[in-house]
Amino acid sequence: MEPPRRKASFLASMKAVFWSFFGVRKRRDYEDDAVNLNPVQVIVAALLGVAILIGVLLFLVKMAVSQ
């Protein structure tokens, strides 16, 4: 038997990573993610999310220090 095909989009992976940063996820959504999300897409989405978070934090610190 073949493993089940992953059918979620990259946007769905980004959404799951976004909610995981806050630690807020319904059990049903978590189970759906475990079945549908592609692990490679989740890793790429997490790295992209971390880069965006660091960029926003650096911008906020720069704005706070400059004033």
Side-chain angles (χ1 to χ4, degrees), residues 8-22 25 33 37-38 40-53:
S9 67
F10 184 72
L11 184 60
S13 298
M14 286 297 295
K15 180 182 167 188
V17 168
F18 172 77
W19 284 114
S20 69
F21 280 168
F22 293 109
R25 202 75 175 140
D33 289 344
L37 292 180
N38 183 345
V40 174
Q41 286 182 344
V42 172
I43 292 170
V44 172
L47 293 174
L48 184 60
V50 167
I52 291 170
L53 178 64

